[in-house]
Amino acid sequence: DKINKGITMNAWFKLAALFIASAFAFEVLPLHYGMWTYYNTQPMQIAGFPAWWAFTNVHAVIALAVAVALLHRHLGPIRSWVIVPLYPGLIFGTHMFAAFPAYAVVSSTSKHALALLGTVLAIVLSCSLIWLYATIVCTDRDASRLVHKP
């Protein structure tokens, strides 16, 4: 609804920051009680929670919201039902796209420097994509700055 009704860049980034903080808050309790764990070398942990997960999870949620809003706008209300079977692929694909650098190193090495590089790249990629989506959907974006002028 915020995308369709119009959201400013300022509100967009505040919402993204709130989501990222919420992801950290959500993970602490289950980790404390051993409901799940994170394997191999996971740098930049807060209370046992690897920071990169918060950024990639939030990116996936935001990317899904943008994709669904744009698809719904394009398809219209009568054909928008076709979006439902796309949900699993969209969420998996968007999460995998941003998380790939971290997935690749966490699952293949125990070297802290490489794990740090991969997880930082995942955070940077997630934040960059969240910014990119803002340039597409936010109401106060200045499209002229995105066009190359000779």
Side-chain angles (χ1 to χ4, degrees), residues 2-149:
K2 286 196 177 287
I3 291 171
N4 289 329
K5 290 178 183 173
I7 185 168
T8 65
M9 285 254 201
N10 189 33
W12 179 267
F13 290 115
K14 283 181 181 177
L15 193 59
L18 176 65
F19 286 170
I20 290 167
S22 298
F24 278 105
F26 172 81
E27 292 278 343
V28 171
L29 202 57
L31 281 169
H32 175 75
Y33 287 105
M35 295 169 75
W36 56 75
T37 64
Y38 292 93
Y39 62 90
N40 214 347
T41 303
Q42 299 274 350
M44 298 186 304
Q45 293 187 14
I46 296 175
F49 177 56
W52 71 272
W53 276 101
F55 290 89
T56 56
N57 287 349
V58 168
H59 162 263
V61 170
I62 289 173
L64 181 65
V66 169
V68 168
L70 295 177
L71 282 169
H72 194 275
R73 191 179 298 161
H74 177 73
L75 293 171
I78 294 173
R79 296 180 297 170
S80 63
W81 65 269
V82 301
I83 299 170
V84 174
L86 297 176
Y87 278 161
L90 286 170
I91 196 71
F92 179 77
T94 57
H95 195 284
M96 180 58 141
F97 182 68
F100 184 75
Y103 285 158
V105 296
V106 166
S107 64
S108 65
T109 186
S110 60
K111 294 181 180 175
H112 189 269
L114 286 176
L116 183 61
L117 176 64
T119 56
V120 167
L121 285 173
I123 291 170
V124 169
L125 183 57
S126 296
C127 291
S128 298
L129 290 168
I130 290 169
W131 169 83
L132 178 64
Y133 306 145
T135 67
I136 295 167
V137 300
C138 289
T139 54
D140 63 343
R141 68 193 184 280
D142 181 4
S144 65
R145 74 183 191 299
L146 300 175
V147 178
H148 175 68
K149 294 179 183 177

